[in-house]
Amino acid sequence: SIEDDGTNLELRSLHADSLLLGSLWMAEQNVDAATTILSSFQKAADLSMNVYRKSKTKDALHTSYIHKASIAAFKLGEFAASLYYSVDKRMSSDVWKKRCLAANERKKELNLAITEAENLAKNRSRSNADERLYIGADNVRSVLEREVSFDDRDMNGMAASLRQYLKLSVESYCSALKLCPSSIAANVSSHVFQLVSLWFKNCARAETNDVVNELMQANALGIPSYRFVPLTYQLFSRIDSTQDDEVNDFQKILRDIVLKICREHPYHGIVQLVALANGKRIGVGVDGRNADTYLENVGSSKVDAATSILNDLREGEGYIPALVESYTTLSDAFINLAMLSTKSFERRQFKGLSFSQFKLTLDTCFSSGRRGSKNTSATNKPVIFTNPPPIRPDAQYGNGIDDPIGAERVLSFESKFDLTPTGLHRPKIVKCIGSKGGRFKQLVKGEDDLRQDAIMEQVFGTVNDLLRHEGAGGNVAIKQSLGAPAIPCSSRHLRLITYGITPLTPSCGVLEWVNDTMCFGEYVDDKRGIGAHSRYNPGEWGDNDCAKIYRAAAGGTEESRRKVYRKICENFSPAFRFFFLEYFNSSMEAWHTARTAYTRSCAVNSIVGHILGIGDRHTSNILVHTKTGEVVHIDFGFVFEQGKTLSVPELVPFRLTRDIVDGMGPSGTDGVFFKAAEATLGVLRNNADTLLTILSAVVSDPLYKWSISPQKARELQQEQNSKEEEDGDGECEGKEDPSRPPLMAFNTEDDENRNDAAVRAISKITNKLQGYEDSSSFDKSVAGQVKLLINEARDPDNLGLMFGGWSPWL
């Protein structure tokens, strides 16, 4: 047979391809027992691996054999993981737990029956009555023994299956990742997230920690470190210096991975390690309950562990020790600037402030503290914090002498900084000078946590990968790689615009300034001069008039508030279509291209924002690009449906107000918007497993609980209302918004609560990806779901009950 013939590798490879495609078909159609399908996947993976090992490097098909062997191993790991989760779900169910309790009670009954039978055997006489009692008791014992034996076999079998599927899944993922060439891009990141999720879930679990920790210890360092770089937030957040023996195995492996990342990809790892070591630097502006929360979430043991790893890096060889010192120096300078209180002068002066005036060292931290002396060397200096280099599989970043490809290192800073015009804590605007002469505008924020925003940007990057590889996810990619016709990627250029965010402590960080953008509200309202509404619709009500009338009705009945909203709409016409006439008037082609890009961008942001439950989309949290027309969403303080827990809950899935639609042209949401939204939702639903795997790792982050205190939510809206009455909230605040939900603290005893919060968050996303939008609806087609969401977002009855600071009339 082909399988027995070890000389014809092409035939054996063809046999392996056939087995894999057959396994995929059986799994999709669910036509056979799980063990049979698993066995088929194993045969395909073993045969592919055997072909690869017998091939020689000089063989023309060697690269193809590597590719196929890694794919077969990935699919085996994926299917084994699905079986593991199925068994785990069953063992975690209430039904199984009740059965375990019943089995324990049955064992107690058996012990009593054995004791009773033994006593009767000792004391029985030859009388018929005693003999009947003994026979009856012995029969009961015999029945109970069979039932207990059956329960034990079933439970032991479940536990054994759990360990077997976990072992096979982790082994397969590790083998595939060690073998997988960097040329395979589509869907590999989801497998890495899946591996890490399995590890995290079982690293301290009594039934399985030995299996997963042993496998990770044997394989983790053999996996190329660049595969782990996209997960640095999730990996680094679990660093700890606990002395618990079981956890120590996990921590030792994790520490080795972190060290490897920082040594081989220092520009991606060191800054996050420095931030974790700064975990107790929360600043004077964070006090009371929030201070306790920050400190409890980070924990002194995490800070100690991060500091210890940094010390190990300082004792290493090459340029890494000097780079650690440079990152620490620059981070300290940023932190000092972020924590600078501006209350005493912010109303008098907010532009052209000198660092020397406030004894700040950001502009001199790399010039030995001497102002006026220019630093001319970028050797062993950090890259621009908000513009890290692309991840390089070969780990070649210039050895501290040359600039990493695709990035610049920090040379110096301009000697003056600005404050944002408004904002609760007045972020600072600085300009960083790069080693190639580039100037990078950055926003330095203090007394505000940025890590949630950074993690959401990480998720957006994953969504962009899915959109970029549209049609190449899941089993379609496997079949295509094995010779199936290619499916073209999206021609719509669907994407989310992302920006760099670097948290430096739990309460400050640095953001990339999104150049050539303006706040949506800055263009349409009158808070900074005469807005588009007043310019193009003179004689109608102004934005401030609408805000006052809408706020005045806030305490009325729902029907009265809706009437007020409808009255405002009658006297306030949309005007955002003129944005494209003003900024893209060089030609009809430029105008049409920008408007199309705007419409598609609105569609992608709307659908992704709805799936992730992103709220607080007021006019200051949406930027519009003046060069491309695309929208950029910022400030993700309310995610995973937190906006629905506010005292004035958000009733719309995304912002699709009259002005937003006005910019789309005469067809409104029925043309380009609908098709782009449909394509985006289709990609997300087709890649639901990938997205959910990554989100599961995100929401189970031990530093965060993705929910908001109802009391705090109420305080935030009251604060925003108060601010609005003083100077007009909703104004573009230097591209940031001060109101954010608080972090909810966890300690090691709160794992169950944290897991419950993660499960709830993932459950909501899962329902949306399956087409369920509420408890009473049936699963909808992609087109039907998009239409429903558009109708909800544009429903005047919903908009009329929104929070005033959201400005639903704009």
Side-chain angles (χ1 to χ4, degrees):
S1 68
I2 296 175
E3 190 171 348
D4 295 328
D5 183 5
T7 60
N8 194 330
L9 295 182
E10 289 186 52
L11 283 177
R12 302 197 76 192
S13 179
L14 181 61
H15 187 190
D17 294 348
S18 301
L19 281 171
L20 180 56
L21 287 173
S23 303
L24 292 172
W25 181 83
M26 286 192 292
E28 286 179 352
Q29 302 301 321
N30 197 23
V31 295
D32 219 325
T35 52
T36 303
I37 300 173
L38 181 64
S39 176
S40 181
F41 273 116
Q42 282 183 290
K43 289 178 181 177
D46 291 344
L47 188 53
S48 291
M49 191 66 71
N50 185 267
V51 170
Y52 151 68
R53 287 171 179 161
K54 288 191 175 183
S55 67
K56 297 179 180 179
T57 307
K58 61 183 179 181
D59 290 347
L61 295 175
H62 181 72
T63 302
S64 174
Y65 295 151
I66 294 175
H67 185 104
K68 291 181 178 181
S70 58
I71 287 178
F74 276 136
K75 298 313 292 182
L76 172 59
E78 192 175 275
F79 188 72
S82 70
L83 296 180
Y84 161 81
Y85 283 116
S86 177
V87 174
D88 181 60
K89 183 178 180 181
R90 183 181 172 190
M91 293 179 68
S92 302
S93 67
D94 291 337
V95 173
W96 183 261
K97 290 176 181 177
K98 289 177 180 178
R99 182 178 175 183
C100 290
L101 291 174
N104 289 331
E105 290 299 319
R106 194 57 52 91
K107 285 183 178 180
K108 293 178 181 178
E109 291 180 21
L110 174 60
N111 292 331
L112 291 174
I114 291 173
T115 302
E116 183 180 0
E118 289 175 349
N119 291 335
L120 288 172
K122 290 177 183 178
N123 301 321
R124 67 177 174 172
S125 63
R126 293 188 177 182
S127 67
N128 291 335
D130 288 345
E131 188 67 21
R132 284 195 300 270
L133 285 174
Y134 170 74
I135 292 174
D138 193 55
N139 287 338
V140 170
R141 176 192 58 76
S142 180
V143 171
L144 288 172
E145 282 180 344
R146 288 194 295 271
E147 291 180 351
V148 168
S149 177
F150 176 78
D151 288 340
D152 286 344
R153 282 198 307 272
D154 203 14
M155 292 177 185
N156 292 336
M158 288 284 284
S161 295
L162 189 77
R163 290 170 62 87
Q164 175 196 350
Y165 297 145
L166 175 64
K167 182 175 184 292
L168 185 57
S169 179
V170 172
E171 278 181 337
S172 300
Y173 278 135
C174 289
S175 298
L177 289 170
K178 285 193 286 187
L179 184 63
C180 180
S182 58
S183 58
I184 300 180
N187 226 30
V188 174
S189 61
S190 69
H191 295 309
V192 183
F193 271 96
Q194 182 72 274
L195 172 63
V196 172
S197 294
L198 288 168
W199 182 30
F200 288 166
K201 183 178 177 65
N202 293 279
C203 63
R205 187 174 180 176
E207 304 95 330
T208 52
N209 70 80
D210 58 329
V211 173
V212 72
N213 285 331
E214 285 175 11
L215 287 171
M216 290 300 295
Q217 188 167 19
N219 293 284
L221 295 184
I223 298 173
S225 58
Y226 76 92
R227 296 292 188 190
F228 289 118
V229 172
L231 287 87
T232 49
Y233 282 116
Q234 287 71 47
L235 291 167
F236 285 38
S237 66
R238 286 166 171 80
I239 294 172
D240 210 324
S241 60
T242 178
Q243 298 302 309
D244 186 284
D245 290 337
E246 287 186 359
V247 179
N248 270 343
D249 291 338
F250 166 75
Q251 286 297 327
K252 183 180 183 304
I253 305 164
L254 181 60
R255 183 187 181 97
D256 289 342
I257 293 174
V258 169
L259 280 168
K260 188 177 182 182
I261 290 174
C262 290
R263 285 169 177 154
E264 297 184 0
H265 306 274
Y267 297 111
H268 300 90
I270 291 176
V271 66
Q272 293 193 39
L273 203 58
V274 170
L276 196 59
N278 288 329
K280 293 184 179 180
R281 300 177 65 174
I282 58 175
V284 296
V286 182
D287 53 15
R289 183 174 54 189
N290 282 343
D292 293 338
T293 300
Y294 281 130
L295 293 175
E296 188 176 345
N297 278 359
V298 176
S300 59
S301 61
K302 290 183 179 295
V303 174
D304 293 342
T307 303
S308 174
I309 296 174
L310 284 173
N311 290 336
D312 285 351
L313 292 172
R314 289 187 176 100
E315 295 173 1
E317 299 177 352
Y319 70 104
I320 301 299
L323 194 60
V324 170
E325 295 304 327
S326 295
Y327 267 104
T328 302
T329 299
L330 184 55
S331 294
D332 288 344
F334 268 128
I335 293 168
N336 290 334
L337 173 63
M339 295 305 177
L340 172 69
S341 175
T342 62
K343 294 184 185 294
S344 60
F345 61 87
E346 60 188 25
R347 293 189 179 275
R348 300 193 314 271
Q349 182 183 10
F350 60 88
K351 285 187 177 293
L353 300 165
S354 171
F355 287 109
S356 60
Q357 177 183 351
F358 302 100
K359 299 180 179 180
L360 297 168
T361 61
L362 185 64
D363 60 331
T364 62
C365 61
F366 289 145
S367 59
S368 303
R370 296 190 300 274
R371 285 193 165 81
S373 63
K374 293 186 178 180
N375 177 41
T376 57
S377 174
T379 302
N380 298 331
K381 298 300 186 294
V383 295
I384 309 300
F385 272 17
T386 52
N387 298 80
I391 300 169
R392 292 191 60 83
D394 59 6
Q396 295 300 314
Y397 294 101
N399 292 320
I401 299 172
D402 300 321
D403 285 336
I405 296 175
E408 294 185 44
R409 288 174 294 168
V410 176
L411 193 63
S412 60
F413 288 83
E414 292 188 359
S415 60
K416 296 184 183 295
F417 67 95
D418 300 333
L419 303 180
T420 57
T422 59
L424 191 61
H425 301 302
R426 303 301 289 269
K428 292 84 177 175
I429 304 170
V430 302
K431 286 186 178 178
C432 179
I433 302 172
S435 51
K436 296 177 182 176
R439 276 171 161 71
F440 300 86
K441 200 172 183 180
Q442 297 173 322
L443 193 69
V444 184
K445 296 180 69 174
E447 301 176 17
D448 192 6
D449 179 71
L450 298 180
R451 197 166 181 276
Q452 181 163 309
D453 293 60
I455 292 175
M456 293 311 296
E457 290 297 321
Q458 175 194 20
V459 175
F460 291 166
T462 300
V463 172
N464 278 338
D465 287 341
L466 296 177
L467 293 171
R468 187 162 50 248
H469 297 105
E470 180 181 353
N475 292 339
V476 175
I478 308 302
K479 295 171 185 175
Q480 181 181 330
S481 70
L482 298 177
I487 296 176
C489 290
S490 173
S491 59
R492 294 186 177 91
H493 306 293
L494 304 177
R495 65 166 183 167
L496 297 159
I497 295 182
T498 60
Y499 55 95
I501 302 177
T502 304
L504 297 175
T505 75
S507 59
C508 78
V510 185
L511 298 87
E512 177 184 4
W513 187 273
V514 188
N515 292 316
D516 301 317
T517 60
M518 66 190 305
C519 290
F520 183 84
E522 183 180 352
Y523 176 78
V524 295
D525 62 32
D526 298 329
K527 292 185 174 68
R528 287 194 181 183
I530 301 176
H533 280 285
S534 297
R535 285 187 281 116
Y536 292 104
N537 300 310
E540 291 192 350
W541 292 359
D543 173 60
N544 291 332
D545 298 325
C546 295
K548 290 177 182 177
I549 294 170
Y550 193 86
R551 280 201 306 270
T557 64
E558 290 187 356
E559 187 55 37
S560 65
R561 291 163 61 193
R562 286 169 174 152
K563 285 182 179 178
V564 168
Y565 172 73
R566 287 193 286 269
K567 186 68 174 178
I568 290 174
C569 291
E570 292 171 2
N571 293 274
F572 191 83
S573 303
F576 193 71
R577 62 186 179 277
F578 297 107
F579 172 84
F580 300 98
L581 292 174
E582 291 183 16
Y583 284 89
F584 304 95
N585 54 15
S586 60
S587 67
M588 282 292 294
E589 182 182 3
W591 168 82
H592 182 266
T593 299
R595 198 185 69 178
T596 302
Y598 163 81
T599 306
R600 288 173 174 164
S601 182
C602 284
V604 176
N605 280 278
S606 296
I607 294 300
V608 174
H610 168 64
I611 294 296
L612 298 178
I614 297 173
D616 198 29
R617 298 298 88 198
H618 58 70
T619 57
S620 290
N621 282 344
I622 301 176
L623 313 182
V624 188
H625 208 290
T626 57
K627 300 295 184 184
T628 67
E630 294 172 285
V631 297
V632 186
H633 282 244
I634 61 173
D635 195 347
F636 306 104
F638 294 83
V639 297
F640 300 134
E641 309 291 358
Q642 291 173 345
K644 293 185 177 180
T645 68
L646 295 168
S647 57
V648 182
E650 297 191 351
L651 304 178
V652 294
F654 41 76
R655 188 177 190 94
L656 202 58
T657 51
R658 294 184 306 149
D659 264 299
I660 294 286
V661 176
D662 190 61
M664 299 176 188
S667 62
T669 61
D670 292 330
V672 174
F673 180 90
F674 185 88
K675 289 298 182 182
E678 188 179 25
T680 302
L681 184 59
V683 170
L684 296 182
R685 284 177 62 161
N686 290 337
N687 293 274
D689 290 343
T690 298
L691 189 62
L692 291 171
T693 295
I694 293 168
L695 289 172
S696 294
V698 169
V699 300
S700 60
D701 191 317
L703 297 189
Y704 287 86
K705 178 181 179 182
W706 303 94
S707 59
I708 180 174
S709 157
Q711 176 61 26
K712 186 62 179 180
R714 180 172 176 273
E715 292 172 0
L716 287 174
Q717 283 195 335
Q718 288 178 340
E719 177 183 314
Q720 192 173 1
N721 238 344
S722 174
K723 179 72 176 174
E724 190 179 53
E725 291 173 359
E726 290 177 11
D727 57 9
D729 190 50
E731 185 175 348
C732 183
E733 300 174 349
K735 301 179 177 60
E736 62 91 25
D737 179 59
S739 64
R740 330 186 45 84
L743 293 179
M744 305 297 288
F746 285 109
N747 55 40
T748 55
E749 297 177 356
D750 289 331
D751 285 342
E752 185 174 346
N753 292 332
R754 181 172 66 243
N755 290 338
D756 287 345
V759 168
R760 285 195 298 273
I762 289 297
S763 176
K764 293 173 184 175
I765 295 172
T766 302
N767 287 338
K768 294 175 186 177
L769 291 173
Q770 292 174 343
Y772 298 99
E773 287 298 336
D774 56 61
S775 57
S776 60
S777 69
F778 53 87
D779 59 318
K780 293 177 173 58
S781 65
V782 172
Q785 189 175 2
V786 170
K787 192 65 179 176
L788 172 67
L789 294 174
I790 291 174
N791 290 339
E792 287 184 353
R794 300 188 67 183
D795 188 348
D797 286 345
N798 290 336
L799 292 170
L801 300 180
M802 292 292 288
F803 177 59
W806 201 81
S807 303
W809 56 88
L810 287 176

